Amino acid sequence: MTVSDRPGDEVRGERIVCIFRKEGTRTIVPQTGGHRATCLIIKGLPARAVIEMPWRGL
């Protein structure tokens, strides 16, 4: 498994599990069409995200 740790690296999946110590600001952001999504900043030593289910799109 590759671990990306540089600013701007991205993780994509249908279900992503995040492990963190502190939760930052939660905001609503626009997505495709009229849909909206939640953006959450997580903090930890280190904060990490693991794909639990791969993305089945395209």
Side-chain angles (χ1 to χ4, degrees), residues 9-32:
D9 288 351
E10 185 174 304
V11 175
R12 287 186 188 189
E14 290 227 4
R15 187 168 52 221
I16 300 171
V17 177
C18 297
I19 297 99
F20 58 95
R21 295 183 66 166
K22 292 183 181 180
E23 183 176 314
T25 306
R26 196 179 289 241
T27 58
I28 303 294
V29 294
Q31 281 292 329
T32 58

Side-chain angles (χ1 to χ4, degrees), residues 31-52:
Q31 281 292 329
T32 58
H35 297 98
R36 294 179 294 171
T38 303
C39 177
L40 172 66
I41 296 173
I42 61 174
K43 303 171 187 175
L45 296 171
R48 54 191 192 129
V50 179
I51 298 172
E52 202 173 70

